[in-house]
Amino acid sequence: YIADEPGLGKTIQVVTAADRIGSQRILVVCPASVRGVWTKEFKSEQKTARTVVRIDSGAESNKILTEGPLVCIISYDLAVSDDILGKLKMEKWDLLIFDEAHYLKGADAARSQKLIGNGGLAFRAQRHWLTSGTPMPNHIGELWTILRVFYPAAIYENGKALDYNNFLEKYCILINDTYGLKVMGHKDLTAFRERLKPFLLRRTKAE
């Protein structure tokens, strides 16, 4: 999980790393607003000869089936539409990249279920890389869904995975108001950061 501050070049890091591991078929799922950035960076910076396609509508979904080395770039909204999702799951991807991965923070959200839930798109990929400048926009609890799927070791205690509420109780300062549990702050941050070191890389501009 590359969680560098915005402006430190996460996209080019991913393109370079994909070349180094020799990925041939790559799927990038990202916000619609940055499809152009990913398209430009792969076309201009990749050293491996791959066809780069950008999916902007359902009418273009047959591009997903392009044979040979491929980079397919698609928005979250299009990726979860049933007809396109079916085509994406027909393919076997060497590398699946979730850009702005905090879009998947809601465990029960339809988007998360279709992309990283049981039998979701993530299971059609050999490798998964995640990027976000804001991996937990509001509080640590927003990492639980992603950790459960991609790095469950971070949420294990005494040989058992913490459920969402237990995870909140361990790492968040909570109050119970009219609407239920509310996160007011964090605790045990040092221990939590140590757990995340093998999984999450975050660098700041000051560094």
Side-chain angles (χ1 to χ4, degrees), residues 14-41:
V14 169
V15 174
T16 302
D19 279 337
R20 286 184 178 175
I21 66 171
S23 295
Q24 296 295 302
R25 294 186 66 81
I26 301 170
L27 176 61
V28 180
V29 182
C30 61
S33 60
V34 296
R35 282 176 298 192
V37 174
W38 280 99
T39 302
K40 175 179 176 292
E41 294 287 9

Short mmCIF file of all heavy atoms in Angstrom, two decimals, residues 14-41:
data_model
loop_
_atom_site.label_atom_id
_atom_site.label_comp_id
_atom_site.label_asym_id
_atom_site.label_seq_id
_atom_site.Cartn_x
_atom_site.Cartn_y
_atom_site.Cartn_z
N VAL A 14 4.40 3.29 -9.35
CA VAL A 14 3.67 2.08 -9.69
C VAL A 14 4.04 1.61 -11.10
O VAL A 14 4.27 0.41 -11.34
CB VAL A 14 2.15 2.30 -9.57
CG1 VAL A 14 1.37 1.15 -10.18
CG2 VAL A 14 1.76 2.47 -8.10
N VAL A 15 4.09 2.53 -12.05
CA VAL A 15 4.44 2.17 -13.43
C VAL A 15 5.82 1.52 -13.47
O VAL A 15 6.03 0.48 -14.10
CB VAL A 15 4.39 3.41 -14.35
CG1 VAL A 15 4.90 3.06 -15.74
CG2 VAL A 15 2.97 3.96 -14.43
N THR A 16 6.78 2.13 -12.78
CA THR A 16 8.15 1.62 -12.75
C THR A 16 8.21 0.24 -12.10
O THR A 16 8.87 -0.68 -12.61
CB THR A 16 9.07 2.60 -12.00
OG1 THR A 16 9.02 3.88 -12.65
CG2 THR A 16 10.50 2.10 -11.98
N ALA A 17 7.50 0.09 -10.98
CA ALA A 17 7.52 -1.18 -10.27
C ALA A 17 6.86 -2.29 -11.09
O ALA A 17 7.30 -3.44 -11.07
CB ALA A 17 6.82 -1.03 -8.92
N ALA A 18 5.78 -1.95 -11.81
CA ALA A 18 5.11 -2.94 -12.66
C ALA A 18 6.06 -3.46 -13.74
O ALA A 18 6.04 -4.65 -14.09
CB ALA A 18 3.86 -2.33 -13.28
N ASP A 19 6.89 -2.57 -14.28
CA ASP A 19 7.89 -3.00 -15.26
C ASP A 19 8.90 -3.94 -14.61
O ASP A 19 9.29 -4.96 -15.19
CB ASP A 19 8.63 -1.79 -15.82
CG ASP A 19 7.84 -1.10 -16.93
OD1 ASP A 19 6.98 -1.75 -17.55
OD2 ASP A 19 8.10 0.10 -17.17
N ARG A 20 9.31 -3.60 -13.41
CA ARG A 20 10.37 -4.38 -12.75
C ARG A 20 9.92 -5.81 -12.45
O ARG A 20 10.74 -6.74 -12.49
CB ARG A 20 10.81 -3.68 -11.46
CG ARG A 20 11.65 -2.44 -11.71
CD ARG A 20 12.14 -1.82 -10.42
NE ARG A 20 12.99 -0.66 -10.68
CZ ARG A 20 13.48 0.12 -9.73
NH1 ARG A 20 13.20 -0.14 -8.46
NH2 ARG A 20 14.24 1.15 -10.06
N ILE A 21 8.66 -6.01 -12.14
CA ILE A 21 8.20 -7.37 -11.84
C ILE A 21 7.67 -8.07 -13.08
O ILE A 21 7.24 -9.22 -13.01
CB ILE A 21 7.14 -7.37 -10.72
CG1 ILE A 21 5.85 -6.67 -11.17
CG2 ILE A 21 7.69 -6.77 -9.44
CD1 ILE A 21 4.70 -6.85 -10.19
N GLY A 22 7.67 -7.38 -14.21
CA GLY A 22 7.29 -8.01 -15.47
C GLY A 22 5.81 -8.26 -15.66
O GLY A 22 5.43 -9.19 -16.39
N SER A 23 4.95 -7.45 -15.04
CA SER A 23 3.50 -7.63 -15.20
C SER A 23 3.10 -7.38 -16.65
O SER A 23 3.46 -6.36 -17.23
CB SER A 23 2.74 -6.68 -14.28
OG SER A 23 2.98 -6.99 -12.92
N GLN A 24 2.32 -8.30 -17.20
CA GLN A 24 1.89 -8.19 -18.59
C GLN A 24 0.47 -7.66 -18.73
O GLN A 24 0.18 -6.87 -19.63
CB GLN A 24 1.99 -9.57 -19.27
CG GLN A 24 3.41 -10.10 -19.36
CD GLN A 24 4.28 -9.23 -20.26
OE1 GLN A 24 3.99 -9.03 -21.44
NE2 GLN A 24 5.36 -8.70 -19.69
N ARG A 25 -0.40 -8.12 -17.86
CA ARG A 25 -1.81 -7.67 -17.93
C ARG A 25 -2.15 -6.98 -16.63
O ARG A 25 -2.17 -7.59 -15.56
CB ARG A 25 -2.75 -8.84 -18.23
CG ARG A 25 -2.51 -9.41 -19.64
CD ARG A 25 -3.52 -10.47 -20.02
NE ARG A 25 -4.88 -9.96 -20.17
CZ ARG A 25 -5.34 -9.34 -21.27
NH1 ARG A 25 -4.54 -9.11 -22.29
NH2 ARG A 25 -6.60 -8.96 -21.33
N ILE A 26 -2.42 -5.69 -16.73
CA ILE A 26 -2.59 -4.82 -15.56
C ILE A 26 -3.95 -4.15 -15.63
O ILE A 26 -4.35 -3.63 -16.68
CB ILE A 26 -1.49 -3.75 -15.52
CG1 ILE A 26 -0.09 -4.40 -15.46
CG2 ILE A 26 -1.68 -2.79 -14.35
CD1 ILE A 26 1.05 -3.43 -15.66
N LEU A 27 -4.64 -4.13 -14.52
CA LEU A 27 -5.92 -3.42 -14.40
C LEU A 27 -5.77 -2.32 -13.36
O LEU A 27 -5.36 -2.58 -12.23
CB LEU A 27 -7.04 -4.39 -14.00
CG LEU A 27 -8.42 -3.78 -13.73
CD1 LEU A 27 -8.97 -3.10 -14.99
CD2 LEU A 27 -9.39 -4.85 -13.23
N VAL A 28 -6.12 -1.10 -13.75
CA VAL A 28 -6.10 0.04 -12.83
C VAL A 28 -7.54 0.49 -12.60
O VAL A 28 -8.23 0.87 -13.54
CB VAL A 28 -5.28 1.22 -13.40
CG1 VAL A 28 -5.30 2.40 -12.42
CG2 VAL A 28 -3.86 0.80 -13.73
N VAL A 29 -7.98 0.43 -11.36
CA VAL A 29 -9.30 0.94 -10.98
C VAL A 29 -9.06 2.21 -10.18
O VAL A 29 -8.37 2.19 -9.16
CB VAL A 29 -10.10 -0.09 -10.15
CG1 VAL A 29 -11.48 0.45 -9.83
CG2 VAL A 29 -10.21 -1.42 -10.90
N CYS A 30 -9.64 3.31 -10.64
CA CYS A 30 -9.31 4.62 -10.06
C CYS A 30 -10.51 5.55 -10.14
O CYS A 30 -11.48 5.26 -10.85
CB CYS A 30 -8.12 5.23 -10.80
SG CYS A 30 -8.42 5.54 -12.56
N PRO A 31 -10.47 6.68 -9.44
CA PRO A 31 -11.52 7.69 -9.62
C PRO A 31 -11.54 8.15 -11.09
O PRO A 31 -10.50 8.23 -11.74
CB PRO A 31 -11.10 8.82 -8.68
CG PRO A 31 -10.23 8.16 -7.66
CD PRO A 31 -9.50 7.08 -8.39
N ALA A 32 -12.73 8.48 -11.58
CA ALA A 32 -12.87 8.89 -12.98
C ALA A 32 -11.98 10.08 -13.31
O ALA A 32 -11.44 10.19 -14.42
CB ALA A 32 -14.33 9.22 -13.28
N SER A 33 -11.78 10.97 -12.34
CA SER A 33 -11.04 12.21 -12.60
C SER A 33 -9.56 11.99 -12.88
O SER A 33 -8.89 12.88 -13.41
CB SER A 33 -11.18 13.15 -11.40
OG SER A 33 -10.66 12.54 -10.22
N VAL A 34 -9.02 10.80 -12.54
CA VAL A 34 -7.58 10.58 -12.75
C VAL A 34 -7.30 9.49 -13.79
O VAL A 34 -6.16 9.07 -13.95
CB VAL A 34 -6.85 10.25 -11.43
CG1 VAL A 34 -6.92 11.43 -10.48
CG2 VAL A 34 -7.41 9.00 -10.78
N ARG A 35 -8.32 9.07 -14.53
CA ARG A 35 -8.06 8.10 -15.60
C ARG A 35 -7.04 8.64 -16.60
O ARG A 35 -6.18 7.91 -17.09
CB ARG A 35 -9.36 7.74 -16.32
CG ARG A 35 -10.24 6.75 -15.58
CD ARG A 35 -11.55 6.52 -16.29
NE ARG A 35 -12.33 7.76 -16.38
CZ ARG A 35 -13.61 7.79 -16.76
NH1 ARG A 35 -14.24 6.68 -17.08
NH2 ARG A 35 -14.26 8.94 -16.81
N GLY A 36 -7.15 9.93 -16.90
CA GLY A 36 -6.22 10.53 -17.85
C GLY A 36 -4.78 10.52 -17.36
O GLY A 36 -3.85 10.33 -18.16
N VAL A 37 -4.59 10.73 -16.06
CA VAL A 37 -3.25 10.73 -15.49
C VAL A 37 -2.62 9.35 -15.63
O VAL A 37 -1.46 9.21 -16.07
CB VAL A 37 -3.29 11.15 -14.01
CG1 VAL A 37 -1.91 11.00 -13.37
CG2 VAL A 37 -3.80 12.57 -13.87
N TRP A 38 -3.38 8.32 -15.28
CA TRP A 38 -2.85 6.96 -15.38
C TRP A 38 -2.55 6.60 -16.84
O TRP A 38 -1.54 5.96 -17.13
CB TRP A 38 -3.84 5.97 -14.78
CG TRP A 38 -3.78 5.90 -13.28
CD1 TRP A 38 -4.60 6.52 -12.39
CD2 TRP A 38 -2.82 5.18 -12.51
NE1 TRP A 38 -4.22 6.23 -11.10
CE2 TRP A 38 -3.12 5.41 -11.15
CE3 TRP A 38 -1.73 4.37 -12.82
CZ2 TRP A 38 -2.39 4.85 -10.11
CZ3 TRP A 38 -0.99 3.80 -11.79
CH2 TRP A 38 -1.31 4.05 -10.45
N THR A 39 -3.44 6.99 -17.74
CA THR A 39 -3.23 6.71 -19.16
C THR A 39 -1.95 7.36 -19.65
O THR A 39 -1.11 6.73 -20.31
CB THR A 39 -4.43 7.20 -19.98
OG1 THR A 39 -5.63 6.58 -19.50
CG2 THR A 39 -4.27 6.86 -21.45
N LYS A 40 -1.79 8.63 -19.32
CA LYS A 40 -0.60 9.38 -19.76
C LYS A 40 0.67 8.77 -19.20
O LYS A 40 1.67 8.59 -19.92
CB LYS A 40 -0.73 10.84 -19.32
CG LYS A 40 0.49 11.71 -19.61
CD LYS A 40 0.23 13.14 -19.16
CE LYS A 40 1.47 14.01 -19.36
NZ LYS A 40 2.56 13.62 -18.43
N GLU A 41 0.67 8.44 -17.90
CA GLU A 41 1.89 7.93 -17.27
C GLU A 41 2.28 6.56 -17.82
O GLU A 41 3.47 6.29 -18.06
CB GLU A 41 1.71 7.86 -15.75
CG GLU A 41 1.57 9.21 -15.08
CD GLU A 41 2.88 9.99 -15.03
OE1 GLU A 41 3.87 9.58 -15.65
OE2 GLU A 41 2.91 11.04 -14.36
#
